[in-house]
Amino acid sequence: MEKKSQIDLFGAVALTGFALLLAFNQVVIKVTNGGLQPVFFAGVRSAGAVLCIWLWLRWRGIPLRFEPGTRVAGFLIGCVFAFEFLCLFIALDLTAVSRASVIFYSMPVWLALMAHFIMPDDKITPLKAMGLGLALAGVALAILTRDDRAGSLWGDIAALGAAIGWALTAMLAKASPLARVRPEIQLFWQVSVSAPILLIAALFFGPFIRDLEPIHIAGLLFQIVVVVSAGFIFWLWLLSIYPASGVASFSFLSPVLSVGLGWLLLDEEVGPSLFGALILVAAGIVLINRPVRSRRMSA
């Protein structure tokens, strides 16, 4: 598909489905952490995804070739990817899915700030600034009104680190030399570099195996095949077609869906402060990514 200047019907449906996948993904990580140490889990997931993506490339006849000038950016995006998921998996081990999701899906806030300084056609307007303020207020409300029974300060900080890491990954994919390569190659860089980093880091986070049961193995396989391999290739493909801010705008659905799934599947309590934080973050993301009408159109 050729590049689009705005989100069309196909993009809206695809991004909504991806938001639902990501929301369910948070629940899967939370449950699977019960059987596997989070950082080890993240490392095995990346290692398994290396094989899946390599098989996909072979099946599609896509050569695994690294374009000149992309090696530094590829290594860097892999390191950021490792940081993002180290933080996310630890966050979901320490805090509730609903809390971690509200903070993690503030990603468009950090992406908008990065794009303002890096992308010449994606500056912060007064409307975006208002959205940034609302979303940041929501993140602050979630952290400052923390219920120690549902989470911890370190879990909140880890979720925030994961959000910033995700935004930086998206920016590197869009604004670095990696923008010239296929989404599958971008993702191969991310998982192949992050796998050894995470597996080495796992040595410092305790025993690799906890109370392992079949459901945890199923969660690991779901992560490798569906989320990382198929899901992220699809997301990077959408990012290569649609504007970065437009793609990011649909992430406001994921915290809403995550809170709902956490309540439905894990019996998590959603108090007034968390609900208020969710509203602020979602409203801020909508304003950040609201299309700007040109003067000619409004005349």
Side-chain angles (χ1 to χ4, degrees):
M1 292 180 65
E2 61 184 23
K3 290 190 175 183
K4 306 292 181 67
S5 60
Q6 59 185 6
I7 304 294
D8 55 16
L9 178 61
F10 171 79
V13 173
L15 288 165
T16 300
F18 186 70
L20 179 59
L21 173 65
L22 289 184
F24 182 65
N25 178 48
Q26 309 298 305
V27 175
V28 173
I29 294 173
K30 181 73 172 179
V31 172
T32 308
N33 277 347
L36 295 169
Q37 182 225 95
V39 181
F40 176 69
F41 173 20
V44 173
R45 185 184 79 151
S46 284
V50 172
L51 176 60
C52 288
I53 296 167
W54 180 78
L55 290 172
W56 167 265
L57 293 173
R58 289 292 301 271
W59 179 60
R60 294 292 304 275
I62 300 170
L64 184 57
R65 183 173 60 243
F66 302 127
E67 299 293 333
T70 63
R71 294 180 184 274
V72 173
F75 179 75
L76 182 58
I77 201 172
C79 292
V80 175
F81 188 86
F83 171 78
E84 174 191 344
F85 284 96
L86 182 147
C87 288
L88 178 61
F89 278 52
I90 289 177
L92 288 167
D93 196 45
L94 298 177
T95 193
V97 167
S98 52
R99 290 186 53 77
S101 296
V102 169
I103 299 171
F104 178 59
Y105 289 109
S106 67
M107 180 274 278
V109 173
W110 318 110
L111 183 60
L113 288 170
M114 294 176 191
H116 176 77
F117 296 101
I118 297 173
M119 307 292 285
D121 58 345
D122 205 354
K123 298 297 184 182
I124 293 178
T125 62
L127 192 63
K128 282 188 177 183
M130 183 184 301
L132 286 170
L134 287 175
L136 288 172
V139 172
L141 179 62
I143 294 175
L144 295 175
T145 58
R146 182 181 66 260
D147 183 348
D148 291 336
R149 294 173 298 175
S152 69
L153 177 60
W154 287 115
D156 292 349
I157 292 173
L160 184 59
I164 296 171
W166 185 12
L168 187 53
T169 298
M171 187 53 60
L172 284 169
K174 194 76 174 177
S176 76
L178 289 173
R180 304 195 304 265
V181 306
R182 295 180 61 97
E184 297 94 332
I185 304 299
Q186 290 183 12
L187 186 57
F188 190 84
W189 270 114
Q190 293 175 42
V191 295
S192 61
V193 173
S194 66
I197 293 174
L198 288 167
L199 290 173
I200 292 172
L203 296 171
F204 302 95
F205 288 88
F208 292 167
I209 306 299
R210 293 178 171 177
D211 187 16
L212 191 62
E213 296 181 3
I215 191 173
H216 304 129
I217 301 297
L220 175 61
L221 293 176
F222 176 83
Q223 285 283 316
I224 292 173
V225 177
V226 178
V227 178
V228 183
S229 302
F232 282 4
I233 286 176
F234 186 58
W235 185 75
L236 289 168
W237 177 69
L238 291 173
L239 192 64
S240 70
I241 295 173
Y242 297 104
S245 58
V247 172
S249 68
F250 278 77
S251 63
F252 87 92
L253 290 172
S254 289
V256 176
L257 295 170
S258 293
V259 169
L261 290 177
W263 169 78
L264 181 65
L265 300 178
L266 301 178
D267 198 28
E268 294 182 354
E269 183 178 351
V270 181
S273 61
L274 183 62
F275 189 68
L278 175 62
I279 292 174
L280 287 171
V281 170
I285 292 171
V286 170
L287 290 178
I288 289 169
N289 296 287
R290 186 174 179 180
V292 179
R293 294 184 179 183
S294 64
R295 292 182 179 180
R296 182 177 298 178
M297 290 177 61
S298 61

